[in-house]
Structures are given as C-alpha cells and as structure tokens.
Amino acid sequence: MHPAVFVLIVLLLVVAVVVLKTYWNPTARLAAKQDYSPVRAAQRAKVTRHRARATECERIEMEARASDDGVDIPHGHNSGFETLVVDVWNGNDFTLRHRAVGLGWLPFVGKPEHVETPEITRGRLDRTYPLNGDEKHQLAKIRATDGGRIALAAAEVAAHIHRYPVWHSGVFDDVHSRVDLVSEVTSLTNAAIELRDQTRLTDVPAGNVGRDDEIVAVYVQKTELLQSRADALLDRLRALDDLRGVVAQIQQEQNKYDWLDRANTIDDINTAADAVADSLHAVDLRDRARASEAVARIYAAQNKGPWPSYGGDWT
C-alpha cells in the first residue's frame, strides 16, 4: 500500500473516532430526550409561524402601497377600511361615521334620521380618519394579535382596491365577480376576534397541570388547530391581494385605452395641415420683418432721421 494512502486512512479513522466521541453520547441523548417538552415545542412552532405570517402581511401591505392608485393618506390618518377594523373590534357601528342626517325639517319626523345612500357609503370608505387616543391604542393592540394583523393587512388591500376607479364600473358586475369589500374585512376582523378569544382559552399549562399528559396533548392539538385557522385567514388575505392585482391590471389597461382615446381625438391630417399653415405664416412674418427693416434703413439713410410716428392704432 502506498504510504500516502495509509496515512490518509489513519487520518480518516482518527476523525471518525473524534466525531463519535463528540456526538454519540447515549447519556446526553437520553438527557435531551427527557428535557424535551411538547408544550415548549408547540410554543416555538407557534412563534415561528406567527412571525412568518407577520412577515407575509408586511410584504402584502408594502406591495399594496406601492401600487399606482394615486392616493396618499395624510400622516396620522387611517383609511376607511382600517377604521372599519377598529370599529368592528371595539363593537362600534362603522356607519355612525360620515352620516347623512336629513328629514328633520318635516313636522311629523321627531328625531333626525340617518339617510344611507350609495354615495354616503362610498364617501365613508373614501374618507380618512384621524383616530383618537383610545382608538390608536386599540389599533396597536389589534396589530399585535395574530388575526388582527391579518385583518389590518386585508383592510390595506381593500382600501387600494376601493380606490381604483375601474372597481366602481360595471366590469365586475358583468362577470358576477364583485366582492363586498366591507363584508370581507368585517368577516376577517370577526374571525380575528374569535381567534384571539380561543387563544386565551388555551393558555400555556404550567406546574402540575403542565405535567398532565392529557392536558399537554389537548394543548398541543388545540394550538395546532388555532395555528391552522390563522394560516387559513392568511390564505384569505392572499386571495384578496390576488384580486387587488387583477383590479390593478384592469385599471392599467383602462388607463392605456383612455390615454389612446384622448390621443386619437387629434386628427392627423388636419394637424399636419395646420402645421404647414403655421410654418408658411411664420415665413410671411419673417418676410414682413425683413422688408420693414430694409425700408427703415433706406429712409433713415436718405432723411438722416427716424421714421415719423404714426398716431393711429396699429393693434
């Protein structure tokens, strides 16, 4: 055997022995197995999935804000759909905002009544709202919850869909694909509230309770179910964002055809003829200017003085 091959084999054997001593430790493996906790494993998985969902929500919101809908929300204000989430979360009536009060002038109507019209409904969603201190605090609490974060991202997406003019045309009604954005955001918010309440029912078992096999098994099972529910809500958000992408594409196409329609109102032949006429007129003006200059020079040279003033109106 070649000496170099022999040395290489010896080195490989030494490395194998070191690796076995380092990683093959039955006592350590047994201790690690005894230290394993299904509760802690479920908690770690829960945190990991929560962070992944929050990251996905942030990505969707950033893409929605980057869309070209031409609307900027003033600093410190919230869209109508975000305000809708806050009102649903707090159990308030969103229609109390931006109300149209009328009929109070009639003698047989005692208390002024709210008149809800499509224009008022759309105006309520078009507006931006400066939330008060309590509402801002509540908004932060909503954003901190798993389902609430998804609901707010859905509100961001719905607000951008609502701002596209093509969304309010008959395109989506003709193909029976219109989505009630208010109902969708409201449904997601209610689901987020339900998810929050159910999560509170499955607090982390500790002490003697945490060592009960049945309780641990139920905790792990319920935690996985709630995580699956949150994933399903995130999937609904993705679907809503897919709709936003479709609406954005349709709006882009509509903007293209609107621009072409405006541009095509320019008649090529007439415009070209007008350009020729304007050019000929410019030549005539220059000829007049040169002729005037020549006459003035001749007159000044012969009469040694300026041209006499004319008292008439040259305009």
Side-chain angles (χ1 to χ4, degrees), residues 267-281:
D267 186 271
D268 295 348
I269 297 178
N270 289 337
T271 303
D274 290 339
V276 172
D278 290 336
S279 297
L280 293 175
H281 185 71

Side-chain angles (χ1 to χ4, degrees), residues 58-300:
E58 184 176 357
R59 181 194 66 80
I60 291 174
E61 286 179 334
M62 290 179 62
E63 288 187 359
R65 295 189 190 104
S67 61
D68 185 19
D69 55 23
V71 177
D72 293 325
I73 296 180
H75 179 71
H77 287 61
N78 296 87
S79 69
F81 285 93
E82 289 176 312
T83 307
L84 169 65
V85 172
V86 174
D87 283 344
V88 173
W89 195 277
N90 292 331
N92 297 329
D93 185 2
F94 180 60
T95 63
L96 293 176
R97 300 179 186 265
H98 191 62
R99 292 172 68 89
V101 179
L103 306 182
W105 57 273
L106 295 175
F108 52 84
V109 176
K111 185 179 179 180
E113 298 179 3
H114 169 59
V115 180
E116 185 72 14
T117 64
E119 292 75 18
I120 293 298
T121 302
R122 179 173 177 177
R124 183 179 298 116
L125 297 171
D126 286 339
R127 287 188 58 191
T128 59
Y129 300 87
L131 303 182
N132 59 38
D134 291 338
E135 290 172 333
K136 290 180 180 178
H137 178 69
Q138 193 66 28
L139 182 64
K141 291 177 63 177
I142 296 172
R143 191 174 295 275
T145 64
D146 210 352
R149 185 72 182 83
I150 296 173
L152 287 175
E156 182 80 33
V157 172
H160 285 272
I161 294 175
H162 179 78
R163 290 178 195 138
Y164 287 116
V166 73
W167 177 251
H168 303 282
S169 66
V171 174
F172 299 91
D173 296 305
D174 292 341
V175 295
H176 306 288
S177 60
R178 179 169 297 282
V179 175
D180 189 334
L181 298 176
V182 172
S183 296
E184 185 65 21
V185 173
T186 301
S187 176
L188 279 170
T189 306
N190 286 325
I193 295 172
E194 184 180 9
L195 184 63
R196 176 203 62 186
D197 294 340
Q198 290 175 337
T199 302
R200 290 174 178 175
L201 297 175
T202 56
D203 55 337
V204 181
N208 294 330
V209 174
R211 288 187 288 271
D212 187 286
D213 292 340
E214 183 179 0
I215 290 178
V216 169
V218 171
Y219 172 79
V220 172
Q221 177 194 12
K222 299 300 183 182
T223 300
E224 176 60 29
L225 283 174
L226 294 178
Q227 292 303 300
S228 298
R229 178 73 190 283
D231 288 340
L233 295 181
L234 180 64
D235 196 39
R236 287 180 61 175
L237 169 61
R238 289 196 185 104
L240 185 64
D241 189 55
D242 290 341
L243 174 63
R244 182 198 60 78
V246 171
V247 177
Q249 290 177 1
I250 296 175
Q251 184 65 59
Q252 186 175 359
E253 289 293 320
Q254 186 64 48
N255 293 342
K256 171 184 174 181
Y257 293 125
D258 289 344
W259 189 94
L260 290 175
D261 287 342
R262 291 193 302 270
N264 287 331
T265 58
I266 302 174
D267 186 271
D268 295 348
I269 297 178
N270 289 337
T271 303
D274 290 339
V276 172
D278 290 336
S279 297
L280 293 175
H281 185 71
V283 171
D284 181 62
L285 288 177
R286 290 190 180 95
D287 290 342
R288 289 171 182 267
R290 293 190 186 99
S292 299
E293 180 184 16
V295 172
R297 287 179 181 276
I298 295 172
Y299 181 87

